[in-house]
Every structure is written in structure tokens, then in C-alpha cells.
Amino acid sequence: MSRKLQRTEVCADCSAPDPGWTSINRGVLICDECCSIHRSLGRHISIVKHLRHSGWPPALLQMVQTLASNGANSIWEHSLLDPSQVQSGRRKPNPQDKVHPTKSEFIRAKYQMLAFVHKLPCREDDGVTTKDLSKQLHSSVRTGSLETCLRLLSLGAQANFFHPEKGTTPLHVAAKAGQNLQAELLVVYGADPGAPDINGRTPMDYARQAGHLELAERLVECQYELTDRLAFYLCGRRPDHKNGHYIIPQMADSLDLSELAKAAKKKLQALNNRLFEELAMDVYDEVDRRENDAVWLTTQNHSTLVTERSAVPFLPVNPEYSATRNQGRQKLARFNAREFATLIIDILSDAKRRQQGKALSSLTDPLDLGIDDDQHDYDSVASDEDTDSELSTQNNNNTQRSNRAKSMDSSDFSDGPITLQEYLEVKRALASSEAKVQQLLKVNNNLSEELRRLQKEMRKAGSGGPSPFGGQHLSGSTEMGRYMVPKAEKHCSSTDSDYDNPQMYELSLSMHRSSEEEGRGESEEGVGGEVVEPDPTLPCTEDVILKTEQVTKNIQELLRAAQEFQHDSFVPCSEKIHSAVTEMASLFPKRPALDAVHCSLRLLASSASRLQLECRKAAPSEPGAPAVDYQLLTQQVIQCAYDIAKAAKQLVTITTREKKQ
């Protein structure tokens, strides 16, 4: 469902006109720039959704519209609206202010630290305060005052509060009163649609008995939101819940049937229920991230890809979770389309199996999903901003998905078969959502910043002559996170110097999985921890930068073609990239003294050769030939381009460091 924006609507955080996104749990409308910060905070802080390009249940959209038009933003900016309480030096950003640090710091203070929310008088017993707020919420949800209930929730009222005298939860009250929008708000904040009252009746029972059948059906949908969302992501279909609660896509030809995947499935089946629920919630969050990535890329202005707006290459850290779980959540971004589809189907199948009473109870690590042991872990607090000391009180959204993971009952199931063609049609529409696109954009932008920095240093050093770029810089997309700097591989042999050997395809294939994590920057010792010895045979830094710029410009052309599904442009783009890579490699000696240079050159050449092989698959096939899976092909093409950009960046870094010594 889509909606038409009103001219009077402005971003809740910077007052920019015509906001295209919303924070569902905050009840506010936000612009693209502010949305990028909301997404980096994580869904436990802000649940974002596009107003026009995302699917909307009608009641949920109406709930957001009602809150936004009735001053929900004043809840989060309470002290800013009171002149007597305005903090010294604190002001709300303007649309023209920079995203970093001005807008980002304000948004984090507003939603993560709740710095401007009305503070209740301190009491010795905080539990009493929470109980009082929850009782007020229990009473208020029978009315239509959404903003009152949101204010209570912002102060700490519990959406699942069980009233000791009434024997019900707030959702029971809202369901009985037929308050559809109150029910939506409560569910967003973690209310369980299947919670029993003192007599064992659920909110759905209350809605049916009161004649609110539409609300009862909506509560059933809310109860199964997790599995519905996973199924819809794969096949574009949801169960009707009248004939069954599960759709499990049958796509055997597209699944990852490797021994590693089979072993991972057995481990998943052996999880106890709590760990299985956590894994399902994490996959749900990853689906949301990927879908928002797809919308994000289609709504950005690609006339220039240089922007302050932050991408979200993997799930942000939730400080309520352990470091191990956060690392596991971030690893989900590495799964390609086939691997991720396999995992989702395994989860859907096992959710159904468990509700049939066949669940196992052995304890297994949910994060070991067949990922190679030699893969690096993300930093336990890897995010664009430090969040160690910035804990939010708004984490009820996790309870919401946990309750739904628990609430799948044992009714009849609809396992309608989904054809491979149907699957591919849906996946093509989401092609731009893959994490590799975001990673490539980040690497390109980081390289652009590196080139500009080097230019500036060379000018200061009086190296002579104008900039080789003529004042024009690369177009990247998003800021490079401090943890997104690629590292050189150390497992290359120094005996093979045939950089143009197409057989390096296999080497690149084995290298890219362990190279997707990016460190916080190379040490002064050298790339990948090596001690870099001066090498007088290395080319001039300016020459390397010039060739690198040409490589990355060609990569951007390929990226645009991938985003716009122009598969016929893959081959000519790959030829340009291969030519630029060959010219760049020719600057270096055939047998460089430094292993780091050798490794980077091998990765550069092998990735370019592999890119050509992959792009040729997009050429028109002969009649009767198998259909091309453009979703998987696009992802492989993007991965190759990512490796090329990474290798080029390594060579620039090494050359610059050597010339300084």
C-alpha cells in the first residue's frame, strides 16, 4: 500500500520537506538523511520503513499517520519545546546541516539516549513507577488517544503488563474495545497477540467475542509476522491463516545442498527452543535490513554517489545481546542469495516441525551455521558510532518478535509449492538489496577519500605538477566505516607472478569469503601486519592513483548497470575494468619484492579475470539453454568488483607508505 505525502509534512529530526521514511515505533516521519542515521542505530532503537516503496498493512500505516499528525514528535523533543528547560547550546538541526556530526549526534541523543523525553519525578522504588505507568496504559488503550499511550510507553510502561486485579493485558483491553490502532501500537512495542488472560483467553478471543472480526484477523497476522515475513521475502506469498499458518517454499534446485549446508541444517534442528527463537529473530532482522537496502538504493539520487548518508552493511549492534550473538547477527550479511534462502527455508521448516511436537532439546551454538572457521569475526561493537555507554530503554521490539516465534500453533499447514521461476522473479526485484552492493559502495567511497587525502599530502609536500585528476574526484556512495578497511591476504605464494592468468579465478573465489571483514585500518607496520621494507622498484604514487581512479570509475559504471538491471552492459563494463586493471598492474614489477604487493596484484588480476567470466554469462543464450539466474549472477559480479576495488586500495596504501620511507 502506498500513500501520498502532504505538502505540510516535514522531517521530525531536521524539518526537511517531504519526508519519505517513517520510524514506526517512534511515530514520526523522517527524510533520507535522517533515515540513514536511524537505520544505523538498529531496529531495537528505530524501526524504519519507506512510506511509498514498502509494503504496509493498512492499520499499521494509519497508526503511523495518526501519531505523526498528532504531535508524537513532541514526546521525543519535550524539553526542546520548553524554553525554560532548553539545554545550553542544544538546538535542533536544519536541513542544511551536515549529517555527521550534527544530525547524527542529535538523533542519537533524541532516540537512543532519550535526552529530551519528559523525566518523571524520581522515586525510591522504580518498580512502582513502572507499575503505575503500566496501569495507566492498561486503562488508556480503550480510548483513541494514541499519543497518550505512546507517551506512557516512552516513559517505561510495559506493553505486556498483566494487570493483577483485572487479569488482562493492555492488548486484551484494546481488542475488546475494538481499538485497532492501539493494538498496532502495542504490538509494535512487543505486546503478545497470543497472551492468555486469567481465564486463558487471548486478545484474539476478545476481539472475536466483541464482534471485531477484522481486528481479530489482524492479530493473527501479527502473531505470525515472523514466519510470514520470511516466506514473503522468498516467494512473495503469505498464508491466509484460515487454511494454515505456514508457507514453506519448495525450491530444491535453488538451495545450497552442499555437505556444509546439510551439516548446518542438522545443527539448527538440534537447537533448543530459546536459541532457535533467537536465531529466527536475527534472520527476521536481516531480512528487514536487506529489504530496506533494496528500497534505499532505488530511492537515492545516483547522479552522484558521493554522499554523507550512511549505509547499513550488516545488522547494527544491539547492546542488550551478547558479543557472540551480535557477531553472529553480523555474519548473516555475508550469506549470498542462495545461502540465505536455504537458511530461511530451514527455519520455516523447523518452526513447523517444532510446533508439531517434534522439537529437539540439545544445546547447540546457533551462530555456527556452516561458516568457515577461518573467517574473521566482526568487532563485537562494530558500528559507525560507539554505543557501549548509550543504552536505550526501548527494546520491547525484540520481545515482539520473540513472542511471535513462540506463538506458532499446530493448525493445518499450507505448503504450496513455489516454482523456481516465481522465486527468481521475486528475487530479481530485490537484486540491489544484497550486502555486496553496499560493501562496494563503501569501498569506492573510502578509496575516493584516500585519493583526496593523498592528493592533499602531495601538494603540501611540493611534489610538483597539478593533480592528475584535474580537480575531479571519484563518486562513491556512502561513508566508509572505521571497520570497513580491507586487509591484504597473507596466503599468496610469491613464486607465481603471472597476474593475467585466468586460472586465478579459483584463488579469488577462495579468498573473498575471508576478506569481507574490514579492519579498523592498516597498522604502521604494513598491510595485513607485514613489516614493509622499502622497495625502490615500486611505481610513482601519482601514477598508481591515476590508474586506480580509472579502475574505480569503471567499477561505478558496472555498479549502475547492476542496479538498473542492465545485464547487457555487463560484458563491455567488464572489458573496460580488465583493461584498466591490466594498465595498473603493468606499473608494478613482475616479481615484486613485497609479498603484500604480490598478493594485491594477484587479487586484482584474478578478480578482473573472474569478473569477465561472470559477465559473459549475462550474454544472450542460445534457444533451449538454461535460464540465467540474474540474481545470483549479479551478486557474483558485484563481489568481483568489490575485490578489485579492495586490491586497488591496498596497492595505493602500500605504494604511498613505501614512498614516504
Side-chain angles (χ1 to χ4, degrees), residues 211-472:
H212 308 302
L213 301 184
E214 183 178 347
L215 176 56
E217 292 178 0
R218 173 59 183 152
L219 289 174
V220 173
E221 293 176 358
C222 292
Q223 187 175 19
Y224 291 93
E225 179 189 349
L226 191 152
T227 50
D228 284 3
R229 181 79 174 272
L230 298 188
F232 188 83
Y233 175 75
L234 285 187
C235 64
R237 289 171 50 191
R238 291 186 176 90
D240 59 13
H241 295 292
K242 294 178 181 178
N243 300 313
H245 296 300
Y246 292 85
I247 289 180
I248 302 178
Q250 303 296 323
M251 302 177 294
D253 291 341
S254 296
L255 295 183
D256 184 355
L257 300 178
S258 64
E259 292 301 318
L260 202 60
K262 293 177 181 178
K265 182 175 182 178
K266 291 180 180 179
K267 291 182 179 181
L268 182 146
Q269 292 174 339
L271 297 178
N272 65 25
N273 287 336
R274 179 183 63 82
L275 295 178
F276 176 77
E277 291 162 9
E278 290 181 355
L279 174 61
M281 291 192 298
D282 294 343
V283 171
Y284 175 98
D285 286 350
E286 175 65 13
V287 165
D288 182 80
R289 185 194 70 81
R290 294 189 183 206
E291 289 184 336
N292 274 334
D293 273 350
V295 175
W296 180 262
L297 287 171
T298 59
T299 57
Q300 297 305 293
N301 179 9
H302 294 292
S303 61
T304 172
L305 294 177
V306 177
T307 174
E308 286 189 293
R309 301 170 188 174
S310 301
V312 182
F314 47 77
L315 291 174
V317 168
N318 184 340
E320 294 295 306
Y321 296 159
S322 66
T324 302
R325 183 176 178 186
N326 275 314
Q327 290 174 2
R329 284 165 55 85
Q330 293 171 347
K331 287 179 180 178
L332 291 173
R334 304 183 209 164
F335 283 46
N336 62 31
R338 177 171 298 178
E339 294 167 339
F340 197 52
T342 304
L343 174 59
I344 290 175
I345 291 176
D346 287 347
I347 288 176
L348 289 171
S349 301
D350 214 52
K352 173 181 175 179
R353 179 182 67 84
R354 289 167 187 262
Q355 287 305 314
Q356 291 177 327
K358 301 177 182 178
L360 302 177
S361 59
S362 60
L363 184 64
T364 306
D365 183 3
L367 304 177
D368 186 3
L369 299 172
I371 299 174
D372 293 342
D373 292 337
D374 62 350
Q375 286 189 333
H376 305 291
D377 287 334
Y378 284 106
D379 184 80
S380 61
V381 290
S383 64
D384 288 334
E385 302 286 339
D386 291 335
T387 58
D388 290 359
S389 61
E390 300 177 342
L391 305 181
S392 169
T393 62
Q394 304 296 323
N395 289 303
N396 290 327
N397 309 300
N398 306 308
T399 307
Q400 168 196 9
R401 297 189 301 284
S402 177
N403 290 332
R404 293 168 192 170
K406 297 175 183 177
S407 63
M408 304 173 229
D409 65 24
S410 56
S411 304
D412 293 335
F413 305 101
S414 57
D415 296 343
I418 307 301
T419 66
L420 177 60
Q421 185 61 31
E422 288 176 326
Y423 167 71
L424 292 177
E425 288 175 357
V426 175
K427 294 307 293 179
R428 286 183 193 124
L430 299 173
S432 61
S433 69
E434 295 303 323
K436 299 300 180 296
V437 176
Q438 295 290 354
Q439 291 169 341
L440 179 58
L441 292 172
K442 283 182 171 292
V443 170
N444 274 344
N445 189 61
N446 179 248
L447 185 55
S448 174
E449 293 298 328
E450 180 78 5
L451 296 177
R452 284 194 286 267
R453 184 184 65 79
L454 292 174
Q455 285 179 286
K456 185 176 180 180
E457 289 185 1
M458 287 187 290
R459 285 195 294 268
K460 288 183 178 179
S463 56
S467 166
F469 308 113
Q472 296 180 355

Side-chain angles (χ1 to χ4, degrees), residues 156-173:
Q158 299 300 302
N160 270 318
F161 172 73
F162 188 85
H163 199 295
E165 290 84 24
K166 307 291 185 180
T168 56
T169 69
L171 192 54
H172 286 94
V173 177

Side-chain angles (χ1 to χ4, degrees), residues 465-650:
S467 166
F469 308 113
Q472 296 180 355
H473 300 293
L474 285 175
S475 294
S477 175
T478 49
E479 291 190 333
M480 188 71 180
R482 63 187 182 193
Y483 45 85
M484 296 291 289
V485 180
K487 299 177 181 178
E489 288 72 13
K490 292 189 281 187
H491 52 274
C492 299
S493 169
S494 60
T495 59
D496 185 358
S497 59
D498 186 6
Y499 306 127
D500 295 318
N501 184 358
Q503 299 301 320
M504 295 308 298
Y505 172 91
E506 291 298 328
L507 174 63
S508 177
L509 188 62
S510 64
M511 290 168 69
H512 86 265
R513 280 200 176 277
S514 61
S515 65
E516 286 184 17
E517 295 75 25
E518 294 79 3
R520 298 176 182 273
E522 292 85 351
S523 67
E524 290 301 321
E525 294 179 334
V527 180
E530 297 183 33
V531 177
V532 180
E533 297 296 334
D535 186 352
T537 65
L538 289 179
C540 171
T541 302
E542 288 190 1
D543 291 341
V544 176
I545 292 175
L546 182 62
K547 297 300 183 184
T548 300
E549 186 193 37
Q550 188 59 50
V551 169
T552 52
K553 283 183 177 179
N554 292 333
I555 287 176
Q556 286 180 319
E557 183 180 349
L558 175 65
L559 177 60
R560 294 189 188 98
Q563 292 173 339
E564 297 170 3
F565 307 102
Q566 296 177 353
H567 303 115
D568 55 345
S569 299
F570 279 12
V571 171
C573 286
S574 68
E575 296 295 339
K576 291 181 182 179
I577 293 173
H578 189 274
S579 176
V581 164
T582 301
E583 292 181 8
M584 183 173 183
S586 67
L587 297 175
F588 293 83
K590 277 291 184 179
R591 296 184 179 276
L594 296 175
D595 284 345
V597 174
H598 179 76
C599 288
S600 297
L601 286 169
R602 289 186 68 177
L603 178 59
L604 186 71
S606 64
S607 299
S609 296
R610 180 187 167 205
L611 178 65
Q612 285 186 303
L613 293 176
E614 293 292 343
C615 287
R616 287 168 187 163
K617 297 177 183 178
S621 57
E622 297 179 358
V628 178
D629 185 344
Y630 285 107
Q631 163 64 18
L632 295 178
L633 174 61
T634 299
Q635 186 179 43
Q636 293 302 320
V637 168
I638 294 299
Q639 177 62 58
C640 295
Y642 169 81
D643 288 338
I644 292 170
K646 179 170 70 74
K649 195 271 182 181
Q650 292 170 352

Side-chain angles (χ1 to χ4, degrees), residues 190-209:
D192 182 4
D197 69 357
I198 195 171
N199 297 314
R201 295 183 299 169
T202 67
M204 293 173 285
D205 295 329
Y206 274 65
R208 291 191 187 99
Q209 291 169 5

